[in-house]
Amino acid sequence: MQALLSPGSLVTVAGAALSVIGWIGYATGNPNLSLPTIFYGIPILLGGLALKSSELPPPERITPAARFRDLRERPESEPLRKLLKDVMRWRYGQKAHLESSLEVLKLWDDDAPPQLVAVEELEEQGHYGLKLSFETGAVPFERWQAQEERLGRFFGQGLACALEPLDPGRFDLRLWLQPS
């Protein structure tokens, strides 16, 4: 259902609908209907198809959005709230979520980049936190461990970070607010 409501899908469907209406108008001899819908429909359809070809869907959201709303809306949770909002958007023209951040942290590989596959909100020591599940791609887990101390500071002031290996090629990155 999520893929059907992506911006690329909506633009593609709108362009296809306008094009079909235009061709029906042309076939029935209605130039007032066919001319504008064909001239607008085909470029919109092509634009939608271009968006669909470079589309990166948001990762799976494991926790319902309403569950930790009170913790998420606290002023001190702003860095994690921004991070959550950023990764839950549809992306176009990127290979992976957090691409620029991972490049800066030297946790990027152009051929097989790490992929953010799931996001889970959590409560850690009474504070708001996020658990980001990654597939490592060609970046070994050891490189992530070498950057573990820097990861928390990178995403926001006062954040702590923990890496938790799962299967080979998968791990969880937990970020939470450190108690003051």
Side-chain angles (χ1 to χ4, degrees):
M1 182 67 175
Q2 181 182 10
L4 293 176
L5 297 178
S6 75
S9 295
L10 295 176
V11 171
T12 302
V13 168
L18 286 172
S19 297
V20 167
I21 291 169
W23 287 111
I24 290 172
Y26 178 76
T28 60
N30 189 346
N32 291 335
L33 181 62
S34 68
L35 191 63
T37 53
I38 288 175
F39 281 122
Y40 289 118
I42 291 175
I44 291 172
L45 173 64
L46 293 175
L49 291 173
L51 284 176
K52 286 297 290 178
S53 71
S54 67
E55 189 171 74
L56 177 64
E60 177 187 1
R61 186 174 188 157
I62 296 174
T63 312
R67 184 162 178 206
F68 290 106
R69 181 166 298 164
D70 294 337
L71 285 174
R72 185 175 52 245
E73 296 302 323
R74 291 182 183 170
E76 65 267 12
S77 300
E78 185 175 353
L80 291 174
R81 186 172 53 243
K82 285 181 178 179
L83 178 62
L84 179 67
K85 185 179 178 182
D86 182 50
V87 299
M88 294 310 294
R89 295 184 310 157
W90 287 87
R91 298 290 184 162
Y92 293 93
Q94 292 185 351
K95 292 182 182 178
H97 291 282
L98 302 173
E99 181 176 329
S100 59
S101 300
L102 295 176
E103 284 177 345
V104 168
L105 290 164
K106 297 185 179 19
L107 296 171
W108 186 257
D109 182 88
D110 283 328
D111 297 328
Q115 297 292 322
L116 178 62
V117 293
V119 175
E120 182 178 354
E121 295 175 281
L122 46 93
E123 183 177 346
E124 190 81 35
Q125 303 170 5
H127 295 281
Y128 181 66
L130 290 176
K131 180 166 66 169
L132 308 174
S133 298
F134 282 93
E135 291 179 354
T136 59
V139 180
F141 183 67
E142 291 75 30
R143 269 182 42 198
W144 286 85
Q145 286 177 314
Q147 296 288 350
E148 184 172 5
E149 184 181 321
R150 188 173 173 208
L151 281 167
R153 292 189 319 252
F154 183 83
F155 289 111
Q157 189 175 14
L159 293 180
C161 168
L163 292 171
E164 187 178 321
L166 302 173
D167 306 330
R170 290 183 59 105
F171 69 93
D172 286 341
L173 167 65
R174 285 190 359 234
L175 295 166
W176 69 93
L177 293 166
Q178 289 182 330
S180 301

